[in-house]
mmCIF file of all heavy atoms in Angstrom:
data_model
loop_
_atom_site.group_PDB
_atom_site.id
_atom_site.type_symbol
_atom_site.label_atom_id
_atom_site.label_comp_id
_atom_site.label_asym_id
_atom_site.label_seq_id
_atom_site.Cartn_x
_atom_site.Cartn_y
_atom_site.Cartn_z
ATOM 1 N N SER C 1 4.258 23.321 -14.797
ATOM 2 C CA SER C 1 5.719 23.742 -14.797
ATOM 3 C C SER C 1 6.520 22.763 -15.471
ATOM 4 O O SER C 1 6.101 21.534 -15.511
ATOM 5 C CB SER C 1 6.124 24.076 -13.348
ATOM 6 O OG SER C 1 6.345 22.902 -12.672
ATOM 7 N N VAL C 2 7.561 23.085 -16.078
ATOM 8 C CA VAL C 2 8.428 22.068 -16.707
ATOM 9 C C VAL C 2 9.007 21.028 -15.626
ATOM 10 O O VAL C 2 8.889 19.806 -15.944
ATOM 11 C CB VAL C 2 9.753 22.764 -17.271
ATOM 12 C CG1 VAL C 2 10.658 21.672 -17.773
ATOM 13 C CG2 VAL C 2 9.315 23.628 -18.437
ATOM 14 N N PHE C 3 9.248 21.468 -14.484
ATOM 15 C CA PHE C 3 9.724 20.482 -13.444
ATOM 16 C C PHE C 3 8.611 19.541 -13.012
ATOM 17 O O PHE C 3 8.888 18.367 -13.014
ATOM 18 C CB PHE C 3 10.077 21.404 -12.205
ATOM 19 C CG PHE C 3 10.429 20.480 -10.911
ATOM 20 C CD1 PHE C 3 11.521 19.713 -10.935
ATOM 21 C CD2 PHE C 3 9.620 20.524 -9.885
ATOM 22 C CE1 PHE C 3 11.815 19.006 -9.843
ATOM 23 C CE2 PHE C 3 9.893 19.719 -8.720
ATOM 24 C CZ PHE C 3 11.005 18.993 -8.661
ATOM 25 N N ALA C 4 7.356 20.061 -12.830
ATOM 26 C CA ALA C 4 6.318 19.076 -12.528
ATOM 27 C C ALA C 4 6.032 18.085 -13.552
ATOM 28 O O ALA C 4 5.810 16.866 -13.253
ATOM 29 C CB ALA C 4 5.086 19.942 -12.219
ATOM 30 N N TRP C 5 6.025 18.542 -14.945
ATOM 31 C CA TRP C 5 5.785 17.580 -15.894
ATOM 32 C C TRP C 5 6.950 16.604 -16.103
ATOM 33 O O TRP C 5 6.737 15.450 -16.442
ATOM 34 C CB TRP C 5 5.508 18.321 -17.249
ATOM 35 C CG TRP C 5 4.120 18.830 -17.352
ATOM 36 C CD1 TRP C 5 3.680 20.122 -17.324
ATOM 37 C CD2 TRP C 5 2.945 17.974 -17.428
ATOM 38 N NE1 TRP C 5 2.271 20.141 -17.390
ATOM 39 C CE2 TRP C 5 1.789 18.892 -17.438
ATOM 40 C CE3 TRP C 5 2.696 16.600 -17.468
ATOM 41 C CZ2 TRP C 5 0.433 18.336 -17.459
ATOM 42 C CZ3 TRP C 5 1.345 16.225 -17.549
ATOM 43 C CH2 TRP C 5 0.306 17.019 -17.605
ATOM 44 N N VAL C 6 8.143 16.967 -15.923
ATOM 45 C CA VAL C 6 9.353 16.076 -15.993
ATOM 46 C C VAL C 6 9.145 15.058 -14.960
ATOM 47 O O VAL C 6 9.421 13.830 -15.262
ATOM 48 C CB VAL C 6 10.637 16.805 -15.871
ATOM 49 C CG1 VAL C 6 11.815 15.938 -15.645
ATOM 50 C CG2 VAL C 6 10.863 17.731 -17.174
ATOM 51 N N ILE C 7 8.920 15.363 -13.785
ATOM 52 C CA ILE C 7 8.786 14.375 -12.662
ATOM 53 C C ILE C 7 7.539 13.414 -12.948
ATOM 54 O O ILE C 7 7.717 12.261 -12.859
ATOM 55 C CB ILE C 7 8.606 15.100 -11.325
ATOM 56 C CG1 ILE C 7 9.862 16.007 -10.899
ATOM 57 C CG2 ILE C 7 8.321 14.090 -10.194
ATOM 58 C CD1 ILE C 7 11.108 15.173 -10.846
ATOM 59 N N ALA C 8 6.471 14.094 -13.405
ATOM 60 C CA ALA C 8 5.293 13.193 -13.629
ATOM 61 C C ALA C 8 5.651 12.220 -14.732
ATOM 62 O O ALA C 8 5.278 10.973 -14.575
ATOM 63 C CB ALA C 8 4.117 14.034 -14.042
ATOM 64 N N VAL C 9 6.183 12.651 -15.833
ATOM 65 C CA VAL C 9 6.468 11.805 -16.947
ATOM 66 C C VAL C 9 7.439 10.619 -16.562
ATOM 67 O O VAL C 9 7.310 9.540 -16.945
ATOM 68 C CB VAL C 9 7.033 12.624 -18.179
ATOM 69 C CG1 VAL C 9 7.622 11.611 -19.212
ATOM 70 C CG2 VAL C 9 5.979 13.470 -18.744
ATOM 71 N N TRP C 10 8.454 10.988 -15.861
ATOM 72 C CA TRP C 10 9.459 10.005 -15.375
ATOM 73 C C TRP C 10 8.980 9.038 -14.319
ATOM 74 O O TRP C 10 9.382 7.838 -14.291
ATOM 75 C CB TRP C 10 10.788 10.557 -15.067
ATOM 76 C CG TRP C 10 11.570 11.091 -16.297
ATOM 77 C CD1 TRP C 10 11.638 12.225 -16.847
ATOM 78 C CD2 TRP C 10 12.405 10.157 -17.005
ATOM 79 N NE1 TRP C 10 12.413 12.240 -17.878
ATOM 80 C CE2 TRP C 10 12.984 10.909 -18.109
ATOM 81 C CE3 TRP C 10 12.754 8.883 -16.963
ATOM 82 C CZ2 TRP C 10 13.705 10.409 -19.031
ATOM 83 C CZ3 TRP C 10 13.594 8.315 -17.875
ATOM 84 C CH2 TRP C 10 14.140 8.984 -18.864
ATOM 85 N N LEU C 11 7.994 9.449 -13.567
ATOM 86 C CA LEU C 11 7.373 8.573 -12.632
ATOM 87 C C LEU C 11 6.531 7.458 -13.391
ATOM 88 O O LEU C 11 6.511 6.364 -13.057
ATOM 89 C CB LEU C 11 6.483 9.233 -11.597
ATOM 90 C CG LEU C 11 7.284 10.064 -10.518
ATOM 91 C CD1 LEU C 11 6.410 10.548 -9.471
ATOM 92 C CD2 LEU C 11 8.350 9.151 -9.851
ATOM 93 N N TRP C 12 5.761 8.020 -14.467
ATOM 94 C CA TRP C 12 5.037 7.098 -15.221
ATOM 95 C C TRP C 12 5.956 6.091 -15.932
ATOM 96 O O TRP C 12 5.700 4.928 -16.087
ATOM 97 C CB TRP C 12 4.173 7.744 -16.308
ATOM 98 C CG TRP C 12 2.917 8.340 -15.764
ATOM 99 C CD1 TRP C 12 2.591 9.650 -15.564
ATOM 100 C CD2 TRP C 12 1.823 7.622 -15.225
ATOM 101 N NE1 TRP C 12 1.365 9.797 -15.076
ATOM 102 C CE2 TRP C 12 0.818 8.566 -14.782
ATOM 103 C CE3 TRP C 12 1.585 6.246 -15.057
ATOM 104 C CZ2 TRP C 12 -0.368 8.196 -14.181
ATOM 105 C CZ3 TRP C 12 0.325 5.871 -14.485
ATOM 106 C CH2 TRP C 12 -0.592 6.748 -14.051
ATOM 107 N N LEU C 13 7.114 6.591 -16.431
ATOM 108 C CA LEU C 13 8.089 5.676 -17.068
ATOM 109 C C LEU C 13 8.704 4.744 -16.261
ATOM 110 O O LEU C 13 8.930 3.601 -16.611
ATOM 111 C CB LEU C 13 9.141 6.600 -17.809
ATOM 112 C CG LEU C 13 8.835 7.400 -18.976
ATOM 113 C CD1 LEU C 13 9.997 8.319 -19.432
ATOM 114 C CD2 LEU C 13 8.458 6.402 -20.102
ATOM 115 N N THR C 14 8.834 5.088 -14.944
ATOM 116 C CA THR C 14 9.331 4.143 -13.933
ATOM 117 C C THR C 14 8.310 2.966 -13.833
ATOM 118 O O THR C 14 8.817 1.843 -13.780
ATOM 119 C CB THR C 14 9.508 4.881 -12.584
ATOM 120 O OG1 THR C 14 10.346 5.927 -12.657
ATOM 121 C CG2 THR C 14 10.096 3.795 -11.557
ATOM 122 N N SER C 15 7.029 3.319 -13.712
ATOM 123 C CA SER C 15 6.095 2.282 -13.683
ATOM 124 C C SER C 15 6.160 1.403 -14.903
ATOM 125 O O SER C 15 5.956 0.126 -14.787
ATOM 126 C CB SER C 15 4.658 2.915 -13.507
ATOM 127 O OG SER C 15 4.636 3.542 -12.191
ATOM 128 N N VAL C 16 6.135 2.022 -15.976
ATOM 129 C CA VAL C 16 6.183 1.259 -17.363
ATOM 130 C C VAL C 16 7.417 0.408 -17.421
ATOM 131 O O VAL C 16 7.300 -0.768 -17.789
ATOM 132 C CB VAL C 16 6.055 2.242 -18.504
ATOM 133 C CG1 VAL C 16 6.276 1.419 -19.833
ATOM 134 C CG2 VAL C 16 4.744 2.919 -18.551
ATOM 135 N N PHE C 17 8.595 0.925 -17.124
ATOM 136 C CA PHE C 17 9.801 0.172 -17.089
ATOM 137 C C PHE C 17 9.748 -1.106 -16.210
ATOM 138 O O PHE C 17 10.261 -2.200 -16.581
ATOM 139 C CB PHE C 17 11.043 0.996 -16.765
ATOM 140 C CG PHE C 17 11.350 2.097 -17.863
ATOM 141 C CD1 PHE C 17 12.062 3.110 -17.580
ATOM 142 C CD2 PHE C 17 10.830 1.987 -19.186
ATOM 143 C CE1 PHE C 17 12.373 4.194 -18.443
ATOM 144 C CE2 PHE C 17 11.019 2.902 -20.023
ATOM 145 C CZ PHE C 17 11.750 4.038 -19.744
ATOM 146 N N ALA C 18 9.176 -0.816 -15.051
ATOM 147 C CA ALA C 18 8.999 -1.954 -14.074
ATOM 148 C C ALA C 18 8.116 -3.057 -14.710
ATOM 149 O O ALA C 18 8.443 -4.318 -14.563
ATOM 150 C CB ALA C 18 8.406 -1.512 -12.785
ATOM 151 N N ASN C 19 6.996 -2.706 -15.304
ATOM 152 C CA ASN C 19 6.139 -3.639 -15.963
ATOM 153 C C ASN C 19 6.817 -4.340 -17.106
ATOM 154 O O ASN C 19 6.627 -5.408 -17.466
ATOM 155 C CB ASN C 19 4.848 -2.949 -16.408
ATOM 156 C CG ASN C 19 3.992 -2.505 -15.240
ATOM 157 O OD1 ASN C 19 4.129 -3.059 -14.105
ATOM 158 N ND2 ASN C 19 3.248 -1.531 -15.434
ATOM 159 N N LEU C 20 7.752 -3.441 -17.797
ATOM 160 C CA LEU C 20 8.312 -4.102 -19.039
ATOM 161 C C LEU C 20 9.265 -5.156 -18.645
ATOM 162 O O LEU C 20 9.415 -6.088 -19.369
ATOM 163 C CB LEU C 20 9.121 -2.893 -19.671
ATOM 164 C CG LEU C 20 9.818 -3.179 -21.007
ATOM 165 C CD1 LEU C 20 8.747 -3.545 -22.118
ATOM 166 C CD2 LEU C 20 10.709 -1.925 -21.473
ATOM 167 N N SER C 21 10.021 -5.117 -17.510
ATOM 168 C CA SER C 21 10.865 -6.194 -17.135
ATOM 169 C C SER C 21 10.098 -7.403 -16.964
ATOM 170 O O SER C 21 10.548 -8.494 -17.325
ATOM 171 C CB SER C 21 11.607 -5.896 -15.877
ATOM 172 O OG SER C 21 10.678 -5.796 -14.811
ATOM 173 N N GLU C 22 8.915 -7.352 -16.374
ATOM 174 C CA GLU C 22 8.084 -8.524 -16.085
ATOM 175 C C GLU C 22 7.488 -9.054 -17.456
ATOM 176 O O GLU C 22 7.425 -10.175 -17.728
ATOM 177 C CB GLU C 22 7.023 -8.167 -15.116
ATOM 178 C CG GLU C 22 6.059 -9.423 -14.807
ATOM 179 C CD GLU C 22 4.995 -9.031 -13.838
ATOM 180 O OE1 GLU C 22 4.868 -7.808 -13.406
ATOM 181 O OE2 GLU C 22 4.267 -9.968 -13.459
ATOM 182 N N ALA C 23 7.131 -8.071 -18.352
ATOM 183 C CA ALA C 23 6.479 -8.428 -19.579
ATOM 184 C C ALA C 23 7.545 -9.074 -20.502
ATOM 185 O O ALA C 23 7.164 -10.057 -21.258
ATOM 186 C CB ALA C 23 6.022 -7.135 -20.245
ATOM 187 N N VAL C 24 8.751 -8.588 -20.480
ATOM 188 C CA VAL C 24 9.817 -9.300 -21.324
ATOM 189 C C VAL C 24 10.062 -10.709 -20.938
ATOM 190 O O VAL C 24 10.150 -11.604 -21.559
ATOM 191 C CB VAL C 24 11.166 -8.457 -21.311
ATOM 192 C CG1 VAL C 24 12.270 -9.216 -21.934
ATOM 193 C CG2 VAL C 24 10.902 -7.131 -22.027
ATOM 194 N N ALA C 25 10.097 -10.878 -19.594
ATOM 195 C CA ALA C 25 10.317 -12.229 -18.965
ATOM 196 C C ALA C 25 9.203 -13.151 -19.345
ATOM 197 O O ALA C 25 9.413 -14.277 -19.751
ATOM 198 C CB ALA C 25 10.495 -12.159 -17.437
ATOM 199 N N GLU C 26 7.989 -12.698 -19.152
ATOM 200 C CA GLU C 26 6.800 -13.388 -19.616
ATOM 201 C C GLU C 26 6.790 -13.696 -21.085
ATOM 202 O O GLU C 26 6.363 -14.807 -21.579
ATOM 203 C CB GLU C 26 5.520 -12.743 -19.093
ATOM 204 C CG GLU C 26 5.362 -12.886 -17.545
ATOM 205 C CD GLU C 26 4.128 -12.095 -17.218
ATOM 206 O OE1 GLU C 26 3.506 -11.334 -18.035
ATOM 207 O OE2 GLU C 26 3.713 -12.157 -15.935
#
């Protein structure tokens, strides 16, 4: 469903963005 895929994609992006903050600092 569109809803399920939107939530899945943005949860993955949340993980990536969290890692991105650490990666930029490093």
Side-chain angles (χ1 to χ4, degrees):
S1 69
V2 173
F3 173 68
W5 278 112
V6 165
I7 298 299
V9 168
W10 280 96
L11 289 186
W12 281 114
L13 287 175
T14 302
S15 298
V16 172
F17 292 160
N19 293 336
L20 187 63
S21 69
E22 183 178 4
V24 169
E26 290 178 350

